[in-house]
Amino acid sequence: MADEVLVVGADAAPKGFFAPAGGERPDDPDWLRFRVLGATNPAHFGLYARRRMALYGDTQEDFALVKVKNAAAGAFNEYARYRTPVTAEEVAAFRDGRRSTAAAGHLRHVRRSRRAGAGQLELARRRGVRDPVRIRAVSTVTPTFPRTVLDLPDIGTDSAVAVDPSPESFRASIARTAYEEAGIGPADLSLAEVYDLSTALELEWYEDIGLCGPGEGAKLLRSGATAPGGRVPVNASGGLASFGEAVPAQAVAQVCELTQQLRGRAGQRQVAGARVGITANQGLFGHGSAVIAVR
């Protein structure tokens, strides 16, 4: 839709938890989440992990393996903030030489970060590029009501008396919309970059982008399919586990990673033969997006 586009994102977050905007804001989902539910992000994602453990049998070891995988990839990323590989035992007990804190139940503390990303998509033929990376799809979606499961950041629910709940989750709809626009499916993917704000959430993204069925994320992880050299490496950049979260910049950085991978310029973290990649993100107030890039 445009020949030349410049995209820039940056963030500088204060230490500690994000606080909701001041005043009485009953129409603000964040205000409600913090003030009414008392659910800061660590509390929410700790409960989220417990829910997966109860429903699917996921374990603390599964959650730790996600961090181990992403830290191993991030060690080879010159743009990553944290480039130290870790073991599952270190995830449970130590973080960079300091004892980690159990933020909420079965999850360990996750750092926030300062991060910036910039990507320039230029008309390839002006540069003489014969095999360019192309953006095949960009999807942005919002949740569908009624909701029967409380979720972050969409904590509102509605009655299912008059309307049947959607058979598809909000996050699954993000990827499905992108697949439909691109004319491809999960089987075509070479790699994926997903929003691993918590390790339990990465496991659910495997299911939401169609790499496996509901509840099968941990099994897919243990098979090595999402690790470097696996069938569909996920977060070959190192993910947020290696960067920290930078709200306006992280989705841009994901697209940059796909571009480097599809160009074959990702160095030691290169996914062999990468031709198709997807990003997946969710954000405040029920926003979600995915980008599919191909070569």
Side-chain angles (χ1 to χ4, degrees):
M1 293 185 287
D3 286 344
E4 297 192 22
V5 179
L6 177 65
V7 181
V8 178
D11 183 69
K15 292 183 178 180
F17 300 155
F18 272 154
E24 299 294 310
R25 300 170 59 89
D27 59 344
D28 182 338
D30 267 348
W31 186 91
L32 292 170
R33 177 166 63 89
F34 280 80
R35 300 293 178 81
V36 179
L37 301 180
T40 60
N41 282 6
H44 170 83
F45 284 114
L47 292 170
Y48 190 93
R50 288 296 298 268
R51 184 173 186 271
R52 286 196 61 90
M53 295 172 79
L55 287 177
Y56 306 128
D58 291 1
T59 67
Q60 295 184 60
E61 288 73 23
D62 294 326
F63 303 144
L65 287 176
V66 174
K67 168 62 180 178
V68 171
K69 171 184 71 70
N70 291 351
F76 295 117
N77 191 340
E78 65 272 27
Y79 300 111
R81 182 177 182 184
Y82 308 114
R83 300 184 61 185
T84 304
V86 297
T87 66
E89 293 74 21
E90 288 171 328
V91 172
F94 292 93
R95 194 73 174 265
D96 292 335
R98 295 180 298 170
R99 186 166 297 279
S100 68
T101 56
H106 295 275
L107 291 185
R108 298 291 168 174
H109 181 259
V110 178
R111 293 188 180 97
R112 296 196 61 79
S113 182
R114 288 183 175 87
R115 178 182 181 188
Q120 187 172 16
L121 310 179
E122 299 180 309
L123 192 62
R125 60 177 175 269
R126 293 183 183 176
R127 304 292 188 265
V129 179
R130 297 183 178 182
D131 188 19
V133 173
R134 303 176 187 272
I135 301 297
R136 182 69 62 83
V138 178
S139 77
T140 55
V141 301
T142 54
T144 300
F145 287 84
R147 296 281 290 159
T148 57
V149 176
L150 290 171
D151 200 2
L152 175 75
D154 172 34
I155 64 170
T157 60
D158 211 348
S159 173
V161 173
V163 181
D164 291 332
S166 171
E168 181 179 58
S169 72
F170 160 53
R171 280 188 295 273
S173 70
I174 297 171
R176 175 186 55 78
T177 304
Y179 289 141
E180 290 177 353
E181 182 179 340
I184 67 170
D188 300 306
L189 293 177
S190 305
L191 74 159
E193 288 285 312
V194 304
Y195 178 67
D196 61 317
L197 183 57
S198 88
T199 53
L201 188 60
E202 177 169 322
L203 296 181
E204 187 127 340
W205 274 118
Y206 297 171
E207 301 157 16
D208 292 330
I209 66 175
L211 299 183
C212 60
E216 297 177 352
K219 179 181 178 181
L220 187 70
L221 171 74
R222 291 191 295 266
S223 76
T226 61
R231 176 170 59 87
V232 185
V234 176
N235 287 335
S237 65
L240 299 185
S242 298
F243 284 92
E245 184 188 22
V247 180
Q250 61 206 29
V252 179
Q254 286 183 333
V255 178
C256 292
E257 177 66 19
L258 289 192
T259 303
Q260 291 293 87
Q261 290 283 352
L262 297 182
R263 285 176 175 168
R265 299 177 182 174
Q268 290 180 279
R269 68 182 190 282
Q270 179 66 47
V271 175
R275 304 293 295 181
V276 181
I278 189 172
T279 71
N281 256 281
Q282 67 182 97
L284 296 176
F285 313 116
H287 296 143
S289 66
V291 173
I292 291 178
V294 302
R295 186 169 188 177

